[in-house]
Amino acid sequence: YTLSLHDALPISEVFGVTGMDIVMERAAGPTMLDVMARRPWAVRPHARHLARLHSAVHAVPAMAGMRTPFGDGAALLHMDLHPQNVILTADGPMIIDWEGAASGPGPADIAMTWVIVAFSEVPGTLARAVARVMQGMFTRSFLRAAEPVPRSLMDAAIAHRLRDRNVLPVEAARIRRHTGR
């Protein structure tokens, strides 16, 4: 693979790869979610920033042989790019947690972020009602700033998320209530 992802994207430097194990530079700093919990007035700008990070990821061509859970498309997909997977370092944002990366249409990645952010249980100390309001604000701002997503990809992301064995029961219940599935 001739393109260095470290040069193309805000990610930590890779020092070594052995099979599925990757040794990377440590990204020091709070997550985007941590910052928003301390500064809720920054929810909308962070949502727009996350949309820009998605655009940067999708501008990178995917490597040959990557899985394609959403069908054809040549874009690199993170598949889990949400505020807890962006570390805000002194040098800028770093995208972490690439183990689910795939290839496909960029809007599918945006749909995955939508379903994760919109229905996840927010960790932390914020009151649950406040957290749900902030989630809604973040989600709406993110979708407005991101490239458009066809309804078919939203539906595919919902189905993909419901098949994920790591989804908490409360999150699956929220998804099912919202979608009638």
Side-chain angles (χ1 to χ4, degrees), residues 62 66-77 102-109 153:
M66 294 184 86
R67 64 191 184 91
T68 56
F70 294 101
D72 290 339
L76 177 63
L77 308 180
S103 174
D109 210 14
L153 286 177

Side-chain angles (χ1 to χ4, degrees), residues 103-132:
S103 174
D109 210 14
I110 292 165
M112 281 303 302
T113 296
W114 164 74
V115 76
I116 291 167
V117 171
F119 302 106
S120 290
E121 187 71 19
V122 177
T125 59
L126 283 177
R128 291 292 168 222
V130 172
R132 295 298 295 156

Side-chain angles (χ1 to χ4, degrees), residues 1-174:
Y1 194 55
T2 58
L3 174 67
S4 167
L5 289 181
H6 178 67
D7 295 335
L9 293 172
I11 63 171
S12 298
E13 184 176 356
V14 176
F15 296 125
V17 177
T18 305
M20 295 300 292
D21 296 324
I22 302 173
V23 178
M24 299 178 82
E25 170 189 20
R26 185 177 186 287
T31 67
M32 184 182 278
L33 183 62
D34 292 337
V35 171
M36 288 188 297
R38 289 192 314 269
R39 298 181 187 110
W41 57 87
V43 165
R44 287 185 178 106
H46 281 293
R48 290 189 297 269
H49 193 155
L50 188 66
R52 287 190 300 275
L53 290 172
H54 269 274
S55 293
V57 169
H58 305 155
V60 174
M63 294 177 275
M66 294 184 86
R67 64 191 184 91
T68 56
F70 294 101
D72 290 339
L76 177 63
L77 308 180
H78 184 281
M79 298 292 291
D80 198 25
L81 184 49
H82 54 75
Q84 270 191 295
N85 284 337
V86 177
I87 306 292
L88 300 177
T89 74
D91 296 326
M94 292 284 182
I95 302 170
I96 63 168
D97 197 9
W98 285 87
E99 68 220 24
S103 174
D109 210 14
I110 292 165
M112 281 303 302
T113 296
W114 164 74
V115 76
I116 291 167
V117 171
F119 302 106
S120 290
E121 187 71 19
V122 177
T125 59
L126 283 177
R128 291 292 168 222
V130 172
R132 295 298 295 156
V133 168
M134 301 309 280
Q135 251 178 305
M137 287 173 54
F138 184 92
T139 302
R140 286 185 300 278
S141 295
F142 170 73
L143 288 176
R144 276 194 298 273
E147 69 180 290
V149 179
R151 183 73 214 169
S152 61
L153 286 177
M154 291 291 214
D155 292 340
I158 288 166
H160 189 273
R161 185 72 175 159
L162 286 173
R163 286 189 304 270
D164 185 338
R165 68 176 191 267
N166 296 313
V167 171
L168 297 174
V170 68
E171 294 171 15
R174 282 186 189 138

